Amino acid sequence: MMNSIIVLGVILVLAILYLIFRVSSLVRVAKGEKEQRVDSANSLNASLFLVFMVVSLGGFFWYSYTHFDSYTLPVASEHGKLTDKLFWITMGVTIVAFTIISIIMFMFIYKYQYREGQKASFIPDNHYLELAWTIIPAIVLAVLVFTGLRAWNDITSPASKEAEVIELIGQQWAWTARYPGKDKELGKVNFKLIDASNEFGLDLSDNKTYDDFKSLELHLPVGKEILLKIRAKDVLHSVYLPHFRVKMDAVPGMPTHFKFKATKTTQEMRDELGNQAFNYEMGCTEVCGRGHFSMRFPVVVDTEEDFERWKLSQETWLKQNPDYLKNVPAGLRESAMIKAGLPVQAGMIPVQETAIGSN
Ligand SMILES: [Cu+2]
Protein backbone atom coordinates (compact mmCIF):
# COMPACT_ATOMS: atom_id res chain seq x y z
CA MET A 1 0.00 0.00 0.00
CA MET A 2 2.67 2.45 1.15
CA ASN A 3 4.78 1.55 -1.87
CA SER A 4 2.03 2.26 -4.37
CA ILE A 5 1.36 5.65 -2.71
CA ILE A 6 5.06 6.52 -3.07
CA VAL A 7 5.07 5.43 -6.73
CA LEU A 8 1.93 7.50 -7.43
CA GLY A 9 3.52 10.48 -5.67
CA VAL A 10 6.66 10.23 -7.80
CA ILE A 11 4.61 9.98 -11.01
CA LEU A 12 2.58 13.03 -9.95
CA VAL A 13 5.70 15.11 -9.20
CA LEU A 14 7.20 14.15 -12.58
CA ALA A 15 3.96 15.05 -14.37
CA ILE A 16 3.86 18.45 -12.63
CA LEU A 17 7.49 19.16 -13.57
CA TYR A 18 6.79 18.23 -17.18
CA LEU A 19 3.74 20.53 -17.29
CA ILE A 20 5.73 23.45 -15.83
CA PHE A 21 8.37 22.89 -18.50
CA ARG A 22 5.73 22.80 -21.26
CA VAL A 23 3.97 25.89 -20.00
CA SER A 24 7.18 27.92 -19.68
CA SER A 25 8.32 26.99 -23.20
CA LEU A 26 4.88 27.87 -24.62
CA VAL A 27 5.00 31.21 -22.79
CA ARG A 28 8.39 31.87 -24.37
CA VAL A 29 7.03 31.06 -27.83
CA ALA A 30 3.98 33.29 -27.21
CA LYS A 31 6.21 36.18 -26.13
CA GLY A 32 8.19 35.73 -29.34
CA GLU A 33 11.58 35.61 -27.57
CA LYS A 34 14.56 34.83 -29.73
CA GLU A 35 15.33 31.19 -29.23
CA GLN A 36 18.44 30.79 -27.12
CA ARG A 37 20.25 27.53 -27.61
CA VAL A 38 21.34 27.16 -23.99
CA ASP A 39 20.68 29.06 -20.81
CA SER A 40 22.79 29.59 -17.71
CA ALA A 41 21.98 26.08 -16.48
CA ASN A 42 24.42 24.80 -19.09
CA SER A 43 27.56 26.18 -17.48
CA LEU A 44 26.20 25.35 -14.03
CA ASN A 45 25.82 21.71 -15.12
CA ALA A 46 29.33 21.72 -16.57
CA SER A 47 30.73 22.93 -13.24
CA LEU A 48 28.62 20.41 -11.32
CA PHE A 49 30.31 17.63 -13.29
CA LEU A 50 33.66 18.83 -11.91
CA VAL A 51 32.22 18.89 -8.38
CA PHE A 52 30.89 15.37 -8.90
CA MET A 53 34.31 14.20 -10.09
CA VAL A 54 36.14 15.61 -7.06
CA VAL A 55 33.55 14.35 -4.55
CA SER A 56 33.22 10.84 -6.01
CA LEU A 57 36.93 10.26 -6.62
CA GLY A 58 37.73 11.69 -3.18
CA GLY A 59 35.05 9.48 -1.61
CA PHE A 60 36.36 6.45 -3.47
CA PHE A 61 39.95 6.93 -2.27
CA TRP A 62 38.94 7.89 1.25
CA TYR A 63 36.64 4.85 1.66
CA SER A 64 39.13 2.42 0.12
CA TYR A 65 41.86 3.65 2.43
CA THR A 66 39.97 3.90 5.72
CA HIS A 67 37.98 0.66 5.29
CA PHE A 68 40.82 -1.36 3.80
CA ASP A 69 40.85 -3.93 6.61
CA SER A 70 37.15 -4.68 6.33
CA TYR A 71 37.48 -6.11 2.83
CA THR A 72 40.81 -7.90 3.12
CA LEU A 73 41.49 -11.18 4.91
CA PRO A 74 44.78 -12.41 6.30
CA VAL A 75 46.35 -14.98 4.02
CA ALA A 76 47.32 -18.49 5.16
CA SER A 77 48.61 -20.30 2.08
CA GLU A 78 51.69 -20.23 -0.10
CA HIS A 79 50.04 -19.53 -3.45
CA GLY A 80 47.68 -17.11 -1.65
CA LYS A 81 50.56 -14.66 -1.21
CA LEU A 82 51.27 -14.81 -4.93
CA THR A 83 47.64 -14.48 -6.02
CA ASP A 84 47.20 -11.59 -3.58
CA LYS A 85 50.19 -9.88 -5.15
CA LEU A 86 48.74 -10.44 -8.64
CA PHE A 87 45.39 -9.15 -7.44
CA TRP A 88 46.88 -5.95 -6.06
CA ILE A 89 49.01 -5.36 -9.18
CA THR A 90 45.87 -5.71 -11.32
CA MET A 91 44.02 -3.47 -8.91
CA GLY A 92 46.79 -0.86 -9.10
CA VAL A 93 46.79 -0.85 -12.91
CA THR A 94 43.00 -0.58 -13.12
CA ILE A 95 42.83 2.15 -10.46
CA VAL A 96 45.40 4.26 -12.34
CA ALA A 97 43.46 3.77 -15.61
CA PHE A 98 40.13 4.42 -13.88
CA THR A 99 41.40 7.65 -12.29
CA ILE A 100 42.91 9.00 -15.50
CA ILE A 101 39.79 8.16 -17.54
CA SER A 102 37.45 9.66 -14.93
CA ILE A 103 39.42 12.90 -14.79
CA ILE A 104 39.63 13.21 -18.58
CA MET A 105 35.93 12.44 -18.98
CA PHE A 106 34.72 15.08 -16.54
CA MET A 107 37.33 17.67 -17.55
CA PHE A 108 36.27 17.34 -21.20
CA ILE A 109 32.63 17.80 -20.29
CA TYR A 110 33.58 21.05 -18.59
CA LYS A 111 36.06 22.21 -21.21
CA TYR A 112 33.86 21.52 -24.22
CA GLN A 113 30.57 22.78 -22.87
CA TYR A 114 28.53 24.75 -25.41
CA ARG A 115 29.79 28.24 -25.98
CA GLU A 116 28.48 30.70 -28.51
CA GLY A 117 30.71 30.71 -31.59
CA GLN A 118 32.93 27.83 -30.50
CA LYS A 119 33.44 25.26 -33.22
CA ALA A 120 34.58 21.66 -32.97
CA SER A 121 37.84 20.81 -34.69
CA PHE A 122 37.85 17.99 -37.21
CA ILE A 123 40.48 15.26 -36.62
CA PRO A 124 39.81 12.31 -38.96
CA ASP A 125 42.47 10.11 -37.32
CA ASN A 126 45.65 10.23 -35.34
CA HIS A 127 48.04 7.32 -35.80
CA TYR A 128 50.11 8.04 -32.69
CA LEU A 129 47.04 8.13 -30.49
CA GLU A 130 45.65 4.92 -32.01
CA LEU A 131 48.98 3.15 -31.60
CA ALA A 132 49.38 4.32 -27.99
CA TRP A 133 45.98 3.20 -26.82
CA THR A 134 46.28 -0.13 -28.60
CA ILE A 135 49.85 -1.09 -27.74
CA ILE A 136 50.06 0.07 -24.11
CA PRO A 137 46.94 -1.81 -22.91
CA ALA A 138 47.97 -4.84 -25.01
CA ILE A 139 51.37 -5.04 -23.26
CA VAL A 140 49.93 -4.45 -19.79
CA LEU A 141 47.15 -7.02 -20.30
CA ALA A 142 49.55 -9.59 -21.76
CA VAL A 143 51.84 -9.29 -18.71
CA LEU A 144 48.87 -9.62 -16.33
CA VAL A 145 47.36 -12.55 -18.19
CA PHE A 146 50.62 -14.50 -18.49
CA THR A 147 51.65 -14.06 -14.84
CA GLY A 148 48.12 -15.08 -13.82
CA LEU A 149 48.19 -18.06 -16.13
CA ARG A 150 51.48 -19.23 -14.62
CA ALA A 151 50.00 -19.08 -11.12
CA TRP A 152 46.90 -20.94 -12.32
CA ASN A 153 48.94 -23.67 -14.02
CA ASP A 154 50.90 -24.11 -10.83
CA ILE A 155 47.74 -24.53 -8.75
CA THR A 156 46.14 -27.03 -11.13
CA SER A 157 49.25 -29.00 -12.12
CA PRO A 158 49.54 -32.58 -10.81
CA ALA A 159 50.36 -32.83 -7.12
CA SER A 160 53.51 -34.51 -5.82
CA LYS A 161 53.39 -38.08 -4.47
CA GLU A 162 53.70 -36.87 -0.87
CA ALA A 163 50.62 -34.65 -1.13
CA GLU A 164 47.83 -35.22 1.36
CA VAL A 165 44.81 -36.18 -0.74
CA ILE A 166 41.38 -35.18 0.53
CA GLU A 167 38.10 -35.49 -1.28
CA LEU A 168 35.36 -32.90 -0.86
CA ILE A 169 31.85 -33.73 -1.96
CA GLY A 170 29.16 -31.11 -2.35
CA GLN A 171 25.49 -31.91 -2.30
CA GLN A 172 22.31 -30.01 -1.55
CA TRP A 173 23.06 -28.74 1.11
CA ALA A 174 26.05 -30.04 2.93
CA TRP A 175 29.70 -30.83 2.47
CA THR A 176 31.39 -34.08 3.35
CA ALA A 177 35.07 -34.88 3.27
CA ARG A 178 36.63 -38.26 2.57
CA TYR A 179 40.13 -39.10 3.70
CA PRO A 180 42.13 -41.98 2.22
CA GLY A 181 43.06 -43.62 5.52
CA LYS A 182 46.34 -45.40 6.25
CA ASP A 183 47.04 -46.48 2.66
CA LYS A 184 47.02 -42.78 1.65
CA GLU A 185 45.02 -43.59 -1.46
CA LEU A 186 41.35 -42.86 -1.97
CA GLY A 187 39.34 -45.91 -2.96
CA LYS A 188 37.32 -46.10 -6.15
CA VAL A 189 33.83 -44.65 -6.22
CA ASN A 190 30.91 -45.11 -8.56
CA PHE A 191 27.92 -42.83 -8.53
CA LYS A 192 25.61 -45.79 -9.22
CA LEU A 193 26.50 -47.23 -5.81
CA ILE A 194 25.39 -44.13 -3.88
CA ASP A 195 22.61 -44.84 -1.39
CA ALA A 196 21.49 -43.48 1.98
CA SER A 197 24.49 -44.93 3.87
CA ASN A 198 27.02 -45.28 1.07
CA GLU A 199 26.97 -41.58 0.41
CA PHE A 200 30.32 -41.57 -1.36
CA GLY A 201 29.33 -44.43 -3.65
CA LEU A 202 32.33 -46.48 -2.45
CA ASP A 203 33.09 -49.39 -4.74
CA LEU A 204 33.85 -52.11 -2.18
CA SER A 205 35.49 -54.38 -4.73
CA ASP A 206 38.48 -52.00 -4.50
CA ASN A 207 40.66 -52.73 -1.50
CA LYS A 208 41.68 -49.08 -1.20
CA THR A 209 38.19 -48.17 0.00
CA TYR A 210 38.29 -50.18 3.25
CA ASP A 211 40.25 -47.65 5.30
CA ASP A 212 38.67 -44.51 3.82
CA PHE A 213 36.89 -42.41 6.39
CA LYS A 214 34.33 -39.66 6.37
CA SER A 215 34.71 -36.37 8.17
CA LEU A 216 32.36 -33.50 8.82
CA GLU A 217 35.29 -31.18 9.42
CA LEU A 218 38.07 -30.37 7.03
CA HIS A 219 41.35 -31.08 8.82
CA LEU A 220 44.48 -29.90 7.03
CA PRO A 221 48.14 -30.33 7.93
CA VAL A 222 50.24 -27.17 7.99
CA GLY A 223 53.24 -26.85 5.66
CA LYS A 224 52.35 -29.89 3.59
CA GLU A 225 51.06 -30.06 0.06
CA ILE A 226 47.32 -30.71 0.02
CA LEU A 227 45.41 -31.97 -2.98
CA LEU A 228 41.69 -31.35 -2.81
CA LYS A 229 39.70 -33.59 -5.11
CA ILE A 230 36.33 -32.03 -5.59
CA ARG A 231 33.06 -33.42 -6.89
CA ALA A 232 29.35 -32.66 -6.69
CA LYS A 233 26.46 -35.07 -6.42
CA ASP A 234 23.61 -32.94 -7.71
CA VAL A 235 24.10 -29.35 -8.86
CA LEU A 236 26.99 -26.91 -9.11
CA HIS A 237 28.64 -26.07 -5.80
CA SER A 238 31.89 -24.27 -5.18
CA VAL A 239 34.65 -24.88 -2.67
CA TYR A 240 35.69 -21.58 -1.15
CA LEU A 241 38.41 -21.35 1.49
CA PRO A 242 38.91 -17.59 1.72
CA HIS A 243 41.93 -17.54 4.06
CA PHE A 244 43.77 -19.93 1.76
CA ARG A 245 42.65 -18.15 -1.42
CA VAL A 246 41.20 -21.42 -2.64
CA LYS A 247 38.16 -21.38 -4.87
CA MET A 248 37.14 -24.16 -7.19
CA ASP A 249 33.77 -25.24 -8.50
CA ALA A 250 32.34 -28.63 -7.63
CA VAL A 251 30.79 -29.76 -10.89
CA PRO A 252 28.46 -32.75 -11.21
CA GLY A 253 29.99 -35.29 -13.55
CA MET A 254 33.33 -33.49 -13.84
CA PRO A 255 35.73 -33.87 -10.90
CA THR A 256 37.97 -30.84 -10.27
CA HIS A 257 40.99 -30.38 -8.05
CA PHE A 258 43.04 -27.73 -6.30
CA LYS A 259 46.55 -28.01 -4.91
CA PHE A 260 47.82 -25.79 -2.12
CA LYS A 261 49.87 -25.54 1.02
CA ALA A 262 48.51 -24.05 4.25
CA THR A 263 51.07 -21.92 6.09
CA LYS A 264 49.40 -21.12 9.42
CA THR A 265 47.69 -23.45 11.88
CA THR A 266 44.38 -22.44 13.41
CA GLN A 267 46.21 -21.58 16.65
CA GLU A 268 48.80 -19.46 14.83
CA MET A 269 46.03 -17.54 13.07
CA ARG A 270 44.20 -17.06 16.40
CA ASP A 271 47.37 -15.59 17.92
CA GLU A 272 47.98 -13.40 14.88
CA LEU A 273 44.45 -11.98 15.00
CA GLY A 274 44.39 -11.79 18.79
CA ASN A 275 41.10 -13.67 18.69
CA GLN A 276 41.06 -17.05 20.41
CA ALA A 277 37.55 -17.77 19.09
CA PHE A 278 38.70 -17.62 15.46
CA ASN A 279 38.11 -20.63 13.22
CA TYR A 280 38.82 -21.13 9.56
CA GLU A 281 35.80 -22.09 7.52
CA MET A 282 34.80 -23.18 4.08
CA GLY A 283 31.74 -22.00 2.25
CA CYS A 284 29.88 -22.78 -0.93
CA THR A 285 30.02 -19.90 -3.39
CA GLU A 286 27.56 -21.20 -5.92
CA VAL A 287 23.97 -20.24 -5.25
CA CYS A 288 22.86 -23.85 -5.22
CA GLY A 289 19.34 -23.78 -3.89
CA ARG A 290 17.31 -22.65 -0.93
CA GLY A 291 19.57 -24.33 1.63
CA HIS A 292 22.72 -22.78 0.15
CA PHE A 293 23.40 -20.78 3.33
CA SER A 294 23.87 -23.96 5.35
CA MET A 295 26.84 -25.16 3.27
CA ARG A 296 29.35 -23.99 5.82
CA PHE A 297 32.11 -26.39 6.69
CA PRO A 298 34.46 -26.06 9.65
CA VAL A 299 38.15 -26.09 8.81
CA VAL A 300 40.98 -26.93 11.21
CA VAL A 301 44.64 -26.53 10.31
CA ASP A 302 46.75 -28.76 12.56
CA THR A 303 50.44 -29.23 13.04
CA GLU A 304 51.56 -32.35 11.22
CA GLU A 305 51.69 -34.42 14.45
CA ASP A 306 48.19 -33.31 15.50
CA PHE A 307 46.93 -34.06 12.02
CA GLU A 308 48.34 -37.61 12.05
CA ARG A 309 46.89 -38.14 15.54
CA TRP A 310 43.49 -36.91 14.40
CA LYS A 311 43.56 -39.26 11.40
CA LEU A 312 44.34 -42.24 13.63
CA SER A 313 41.42 -41.35 15.89
CA GLN A 314 38.90 -41.55 13.03
CA GLU A 315 36.78 -44.64 12.39
CA THR A 316 36.76 -46.01 8.88
CA TRP A 317 33.56 -45.78 6.90
CA LEU A 318 33.35 -49.57 6.69
CA LYS A 319 33.65 -49.89 10.47
CA GLN A 320 30.74 -47.49 10.84
CA ASN A 321 28.73 -49.38 8.21
CA PRO A 322 29.64 -53.07 8.75
CA ASP A 323 26.47 -54.15 6.90
CA TYR A 324 28.29 -53.31 3.70
CA LEU A 325 30.80 -56.10 4.29
CA LYS A 326 28.40 -58.26 2.31
CA ASN A 327 29.27 -56.16 -0.74
CA VAL A 328 32.96 -56.97 -0.33
CA PRO A 329 34.03 -59.90 -2.54
CA ALA A 330 34.33 -63.00 -0.33
CA GLY A 331 38.05 -63.40 -0.93
CA LEU A 332 38.79 -59.88 0.26
CA ARG A 333 36.51 -59.90 3.29
CA GLU A 334 39.09 -60.72 5.92
CA SER A 335 41.67 -58.23 4.70
CA ALA A 336 38.86 -55.67 4.41
CA MET A 337 37.94 -56.22 8.07
CA ILE A 338 41.56 -55.86 9.14
CA LYS A 339 42.03 -52.72 7.07
CA ALA A 340 38.77 -51.22 8.30
CA GLY A 341 39.69 -51.94 11.92
CA LEU A 342 36.84 -54.41 12.44
CA PRO A 343 37.34 -57.36 14.81
CA VAL A 344 37.80 -60.51 12.73
CA GLN A 345 35.71 -63.41 14.02
CA ALA A 346 36.65 -66.74 12.45
CA GLY A 347 35.42 -65.95 8.93
CA MET A 348 32.08 -64.58 10.08
CA ILE A 349 30.62 -61.25 9.25
CA PRO A 350 30.71 -59.55 12.64
CA VAL A 351 27.65 -58.58 14.60
CA GLN A 352 27.16 -54.84 14.38
CA GLU A 353 29.77 -53.17 16.55
CA THR A 354 27.35 -50.56 17.70
CA ALA A 355 24.99 -53.19 19.11
CA ILE A 356 27.76 -54.55 21.32
CA GLY A 357 29.13 -51.17 22.24
CA SER A 358 25.85 -49.61 23.24
CA ASN A 359 25.03 -52.12 26.00
CU1 LIG B 1 26.35 -25.36 -2.67
Side-chain angles (χ1 to χ4, degrees):
M1 185 63 192
M2 198 60 197
N3 281 348
S4 34
I5 291 176
I6 292 172
V7 170
L8 275 177
V10 171
I11 293 174
L12 203 64
V13 168
L14 288 176
I16 290 170
L17 286 175
Y18 176 70
L19 283 178
I20 291 174
F21 167 75
R22 282 290 295 161
V23 169
S24 61
S25 46
L26 283 174
V27 166
R28 214 179 298 147
V29 171
K31 275 184 175 170
E33 274 177 12
K34 181 177 164 270
E35 205 196 317
Q36 228 183 347
R37 279 197 122 135
V38 291
D39 54 19
S40 58
N42 187 57
S43 60
L44 175 68
N45 280 332
S47 314
L48 281 177
F49 270 108
L50 284 190
V51 174
F52 180 79
M53 175 190 84
V54 172
V55 171
S56 55
L57 276 181
F60 163 71
F61 283 110
W62 168 80
Y63 184 87
S64 307
Y65 184 74
T66 52
H67 292 262
F68 187 74
D69 287 339
S70 46
Y71 54 85
T72 46
L73 275 182
V75 59
S77 71
E78 233 170 35
H79 78 276
K81 281 198 193 124
L82 173 70
T83 46
D84 271 17
K85 202 172 104 190
L86 286 174
F87 173 78
W88 286 114
I89 291 173
T90 310
M91 205 56 156
V93 171
T94 41
I95 285 175
V96 169
F98 167 74
T99 311
I100 293 173
I101 290 170
S102 303
I103 292 175
I104 290 177
M105 223 162 54
F106 289 112
M107 291 291 286
F108 275 28
I109 291 176
Y110 180 79
K111 194 169 173 219
Y112 298 109
Q113 60 181 286
Y114 178 80
R115 285 195 184 90
E116 206 70 53
Q118 181 172 278
K119 265 182 101 179
S121 42
F122 176 66
I123 307 168
D125 57 22
N126 182 327
H127 291 309
Y128 292 110
L129 217 50
E130 299 270 355
L131 280 173
W133 69 45
T134 308
I135 291 173
I136 294 173
I139 292 172
V140 173
L141 284 177
V143 170
L144 290 180
V145 167
F146 284 114
T147 43
L149 198 63
R150 229 170 55 191
W152 171 257
N153 286 340
D154 194 40
I155 289 163
T156 50
S157 64
S160 68
K161 277 231 160 68
E162 293 77 48
E164 198 65 46
V165 183
I166 304 164
E167 187 185 48
L168 284 170
I169 300 111
Q171 69 183 85
Q172 286 174 324
W173 288 281
W175 292 106
T176 36
R178 178 166 69 113
Y179 284 77
K182 285 189 195 121
D183 64 6
K184 293 183 181 291
E185 277 183 277
L186 286 168
K188 255 193 227 153
V189 286
N190 184 340
F191 72 93
K192 288 181 190 160
L193 297 170
I194 292 176
D195 59 35
S197 304
N198 190 2
E199 55 193 296
F200 300 122
L202 289 180
D203 178 355
L204 292 167
S205 66
D206 178 22
N207 70 351
K208 292 190 190 105
T209 53
Y210 307 143
D211 60 351
D212 289 6
F213 65 86
K214 169 189 163 177
S215 172
L216 293 176
E217 263 183 353
L218 180 62
H219 276 254
L220 304 169
V222 77
K224 197 175 173 197
E225 194 172 84
I226 297 156
L227 175 65
L228 294 181
K229 291 192 159 188
I230 302 160
R231 64 184 164 116
K233 281 206 241 169
D234 35 39
V235 298
L236 268 184
H237 299 277
S238 189
V239 168
Y240 181 44
L241 291 153
H243 295 90
F244 309 97
R245 311 298 194 254
V246 169
K247 180 163 185 322
M248 181 61 80
D249 280 359
V251 189
M254 196 185 88
T256 51
H257 62 272
F258 200 110
K259 183 182 79 173
F260 73 107
K261 203 183 261 183
T263 51
K264 289 171 199 166
T265 62
T266 300
Q267 191 54 48
E268 279 166 354
M269 192 51 112
R270 283 178 183 168
D271 296 342
E272 186 184 312
L273 297 172
N275 173 13
Q276 291 305 314
F278 170 83
N279 276 312
Y280 290 118
E281 57 182 40
M282 178 175 117
C284 174
T285 38
E286 205 70 58
V287 183
C288 56
R290 61 161 63 160
H292 166 65
F293 66 89
S294 66
M295 290 191 71
R296 187 181 183 188
F297 204 54
V299 178
V300 183
V301 182
D302 295 312
T303 58
E304 227 183 309
E305 302 82 67
D306 284 349
F307 178 69
E308 292 302 326
R309 213 172 301 138
W310 172 79
K311 276 203 298 190
L312 287 176
S313 71
Q314 298 300 302
E315 266 188 354
T316 60
W317 179 87
L318 196 54
K319 191 171 179 183
Q320 288 175 338
N321 301 278
D323 285 356
Y324 283 79
L325 268 174
K326 64 179 187 297
N327 295 2
V328 175
L332 285 171
R333 221 163 269 171
E334 199 171 321
S335 68
M337 288 163 79
I338 294 167
K339 223 172 158 186
L342 279 162
V344 185
Q345 296 173 351
M348 277 174 59
I349 293 177
V351 195
Q352 274 211 19
E353 270 259 303
T354 43
I356 302 164
S358 59
N359 289 327

